[in-house]
């Protein structure tokens, strides 16, 4: 127990998990009273898997008609959302939908969340950035992730690219949390290595970042009556703890051998548990700086998180020492000396990033030394994340983190004898 906690915990209304659990969906749709839905996915799933045809046929057998939209792409833009809204509304004519289903990675789930907002009224996506009026009709969402993962099946937000200024914008509201998160690890078995690595590091980042974020007792809710994010508490930390342990055990394995069923299932659980943590606690510097890196490099979400995570951990050694020691033990650092164990964590995480084939410095991402100041400025501008970084001097720390990430410098490394450094 943490006596100061102020818990505000939100999750999807139903979480259905397990290998093969997708077979339960048609009967569940019928039970929930749904009769006509939109299935949002991309061409990989309509062209290379039987899942879309199977679901459409089984749903029909249960009295539920599904229209398929397979125009999803990685990192959807607000422009794509508007084009998809117009195309679907034209196909529907006067017929009304009563639910939306997403099949895919975080990108398709986010596009589907956006369509839950735009389809009922046909308004452009921009109308919902910032805040969403209390009376706004929002279609219920069934989210089926095929990566492990972004955790978007459990979060209140859709992350979209704004093509006008090349940044990502968040559309946030607890009413966007899926009514059903259906996590069938079998969907992830076809993930290519790079997608597995990106998504796996994203899950680890969610778990670690939310485990170390600002306490709920100190979190500024800004007067929000129904906050999406509200700081860490004992409940979110429970999920983060288990997610970090599972990532330590299965992330590398799932990347090295995509047919390793236990590792795939382990990472599906790790991803959902991480989302049940960060989906209420929130995130901070890794994502804040990663968004700024992605704005310049257009590298994937997982890659930009991966490059920043070790350096942010390195910067938290003074304020989150006990929690970093817990992470060290979850990652099976065996050194008994707690100072050395804590100092091992950033280096271990960086070795893991390298072992799954992702870049470990900002230089390797194509960031020039002359870009550093602007990058720090852009990252600090994402105030909803910067304000949750649990240090007294956020701007100075962001600056140091970016400089270290550019040069590949870990302060903690100097405290760890070379023979004690190893991959998680
Ligand atoms: N809303 C949120 O809470 C949240 C959180 C984190 C990330 N995100 C967003 O999620 C996106 C990243 O999502 P992602 O990492 O899941 O990747 P993705 O959804 O962008 O998919 C990447 C590629 O992998 C393919 N793919 C996905 N699953 C596959 C499978 N099982 N087999 C074969 N190919 C497959 C897709 O077709 C796509 O081409 C980013 O846009 C990011 O901003 C959202």
């Amino acid at each position: 127990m943490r006596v100061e906690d102020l818990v505000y915990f939100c999750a999807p209304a139903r979480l259905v998990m397990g290998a093969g659990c997708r077979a339960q969906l048609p009967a569940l749709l019928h039970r929930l009273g749904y009769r006509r839905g939109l299935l949002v996915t991309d061409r990989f799933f309509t062209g290379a898997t039987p899942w879309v045809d199977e679901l459409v046929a089984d749903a029909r057998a249960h009295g539920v008609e599904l229209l398929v939209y397979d125009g999803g792409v990685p990192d959807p833009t607000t422009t794509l959302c508007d084009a998809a809204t117009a195309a679907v509304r034209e196909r529907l004519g006067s017929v009304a939908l009563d639910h939306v289903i997403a099949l895919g990675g975080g990108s398709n789930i986010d596009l589907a969340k956006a369509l839950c907002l735009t389809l009922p009224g046909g308004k452009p996506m921009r109308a919902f950035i910032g805040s969403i009026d209390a009376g706004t009709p929002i279609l219920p969402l069934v989210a089926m992730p095929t990566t492990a993962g972004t955790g978007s099946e459990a979060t209140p937000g859709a992350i979209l690219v704004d093509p006008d200024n090349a940044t990502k914008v968040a559309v946030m509201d607890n009413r966007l949390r899926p009514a059903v998160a259906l996590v069938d690890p079998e969907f992830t078995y076809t993930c290519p290595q790079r997608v597995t690595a990106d998504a796996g590091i994203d899950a680890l980042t969610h778990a670690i970042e939310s485990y170390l974020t600002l306490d709920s007792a100190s979190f500024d809710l800004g007067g929000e009556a129904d906050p999406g994010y509200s700081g860490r508490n004992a409940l979110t930390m429970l999920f983060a703890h288990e997610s970090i342990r599972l990532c330590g055990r299965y992330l590398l394995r799932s990347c090295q051998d995509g047919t390793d069923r236990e590792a795939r299932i382990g990472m599906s659980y790790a991803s959902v548990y991480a989302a049940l943590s960060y989906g209420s606690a929130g995130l901070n510097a890794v994502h804040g700086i990663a968004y700024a890196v992605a704005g310049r490099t257009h590298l994937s979400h997982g890659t930009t998180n991966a490059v920043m995570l070790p350096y942010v951990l390195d910067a938290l050694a003074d304020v989150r020492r006990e929690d970093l020691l817990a992470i060290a033990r979850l990652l099976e650092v065996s050194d008994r000396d707690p100072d050395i164990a804590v100092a091992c964590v950033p280096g271990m995480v960086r070795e893991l990033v390298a072992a799954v084939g992702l870049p470990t410095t900002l230089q390797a991402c194509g960031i020039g030394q002359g870009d550093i100041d602007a990058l720090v400025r852009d990252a600090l501008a994402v105030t909803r994340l910067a304000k949750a970084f649990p240090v007294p001097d956020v701007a100075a720390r962001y600056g140091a983190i970016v400089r270290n990430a550019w040069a590949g410098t870990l302060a903690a490394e100097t405290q760890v004898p070379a023979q004690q450094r190893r991959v998680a």
Side-chain angles (χ1 to χ4, degrees), residues 42 44-45 51 74-76 104-108 110 113 146-147 150-152 155 157-159 168 187-188 190-192 195 198-199 202 206 278 301:
D42 65 53
F44 171 79
F45 297 101
W51 300 324
D75 299 324
S107 295
N108 291 353
D110 283 1
K113 281 181 178 172
T146 61
T147 59
T150 68
S152 183
T155 68
I159 311 292
K168 287 195 171 181
F187 284 139
T188 68
T190 50
C191 265
V195 176
D198 264 354
D202 198 20
H206 293 151
Y278 93 90
H301 182 68

Side-chain angles (χ1 to χ4, degrees), residues 157-209:
I159 311 292
L160 304 168
V161 174
D162 179 353
D164 283 351
N165 51 29
T167 57
K168 287 195 171 181
V169 290
V171 182
M172 295 273 183
D173 195 296
N174 278 327
R175 291 168 293 167
L176 286 176
R177 281 187 209 264
V180 180
L182 188 143
V183 183
D184 185 339
E186 289 182 0
F187 284 139
T188 68
Y189 294 179
T190 50
C191 265
Q193 195 276 343
R194 182 59 188 250
V195 176
T196 305
D198 264 354
I201 291 285
D202 198 20
L204 177 67
T205 304
H206 293 151
I208 290 182
E209 202 174 5

Side-chain angles (χ1 to χ4, degrees), residues 240-310:
H241 195 269
E242 180 61 3
S243 178
I244 296 166
R245 193 183 69 77
L246 289 169
C247 288
R249 184 168 295 182
Y250 293 121
L251 204 164
L252 188 56
R253 265 175 65 174
S254 67
C255 292
Q256 286 174 335
D257 178 6
T259 67
D260 183 336
R261 190 169 173 269
E262 183 185 328
R264 288 290 197 188
I265 293 172
M267 283 309 297
S268 286
Y269 276 88
S271 171
V272 173
Y273 290 162
L276 291 172
S277 172
Y278 93 90
S280 290
L283 300 168
N284 52 69
V286 181
H287 274 71
I289 301 172
Y291 285 147
V293 176
R296 274 155 204 279
T297 61
H298 302 291
L299 289 169
S300 68
H301 182 68
T303 300
T304 52
N305 277 336
V307 73
M308 295 315 306
L309 180 59

